[in-house]
Structure formats: C-alpha cells, structure tokens
Amino acid sequence: MALPKANRLKSRKDFQAVFREGIRRHSSYFTLRALRPSQTIESSLSTAVLPTDPHQLASTQIGITISTKVSKRAVIRNRIKRQIAAAFQQLLPKLSPGWRLVVVVKPTAAESKCVSQQFLQELEQLLAQTEVFNGHS
C-alpha cells in the first residue's frame, strides 16, 4: 500500500531541509531524520514559500531513501520501500501532525530476510525516541 499523497515528502528542497536541520536517530536497519513542526514553519518562512493549503501544513510528510549500496537490484530496493510504506500506513493515525520524516535504509535491511513486522517494530521505536507519536507514547 502506498502512502497518501498528502503524506509524501517529494521535493528535493524538502529532503535537504530535513537532512540539514532535522534530528537523527539510528537503529539496526534505518536512520530516521525528523524535522519538528515548528522548524518546518521556520524553514518555509526562510525560503519565503508558504504552503497555501493549510491541510498541507498539518499532515506529517514521509520520505524513504534507499541507495544502491543497500542492494544493486531495484526489485529488492523497491520491495523494502513498499514494506516501509506499508508500516507507515499503519502508524499514520498515531503520528503527530506537521512533522517531516525521512527514513534512510541501511544495507543490513536487505541482508537480513527481514519481515515487514520487524520494520514496523523498529520504526515504532525510532518514532517513539523522536517523540513523533501523539502523546509521545
């Protein structure tokens, strides 16, 4: 299952803002880069491009990046991407609005015959560490 369009981080500028200003947390399969909602508003003010749609400000946007270092085969990289997107699909209702998240996949994700359930658990731990969940559960 793909992420809803409102929840996708698409532009290069958005990815760069998260990498430049975001906080980072590591796990065995992923590195999570997260940009807080207050930082999101400040960075969009500094670029002088304000979102015209108020809903766009509210929804949490997620980007997944996976390099050829993880696997040379696109089939494997795409499968991992789909599993991460499906895990985020389940986690979306729990997430606080306004965050910008980028998941960087590590090569260990392809090496282990990892099931999407393990991805889900690891993403939950990372999101809890960065306090992205509503109520910081």
Side-chain angles (χ1 to χ4, degrees):
M1 261 191 332
L3 287 168
K5 275 197 173 172
N7 295 105
R8 289 187 212 155
L9 197 62
K10 290 185 278 273
S11 78
R12 180 181 169 88
K13 201 163 49 177
D14 286 341
F15 273 90
Q16 286 174 331
V18 175
F19 275 94
R20 194 174 50 249
E21 303 159 32
I23 52 176
R24 113 183 39 110
R25 295 288 177 268
H26 304 280
S27 70
S28 55
Y29 299 129
F30 311 114
T31 298
L32 178 72
R33 307 294 288 252
L35 192 61
R36 291 184 191 283
S38 59
Q39 290 174 299
T40 305
I41 295 165
E42 288 167 19
S43 65
S44 63
L45 284 173
S46 66
T47 57
V49 178
L50 286 172
T52 51
D53 182 16
H55 180 71
Q56 191 179 8
L57 252 182
S59 63
T60 292
Q61 294 181 316
I62 300 159
I64 302 165
T65 176
I66 180 167
S67 78
T68 51
K69 286 180 187 174
V70 175
S71 173
K72 295 276 186 260
R73 296 178 56 204
V75 174
I76 293 172
R77 292 195 309 272
N78 290 337
R79 183 183 302 128
I80 292 169
K81 247 183 165 174
R82 282 194 306 273
Q83 288 175 334
I84 294 167
F88 268 115
Q89 188 79 28
Q90 294 175 12
L91 294 171
L92 270 178
K94 298 180 192 174
L95 301 180
S96 300
W99 283 81
R100 282 200 249 170
L101 308 169
V102 175
V103 177
V104 182
V105 181
K106 294 182 178 178
T108 53
E111 290 164 11
S112 71
K113 298 293 177 227
C114 190
V115 196
S116 48
Q117 193 60 38
Q118 285 176 296
F119 283 169
L120 180 67
Q121 288 173 344
E122 214 161 277
L123 286 170
E124 268 185 302
Q125 287 173 345
L126 287 171
L127 292 169
Q129 286 172 18
T130 50
E131 299 177 353
V132 178
F133 285 125
N134 272 329
H136 313 302
S137 55

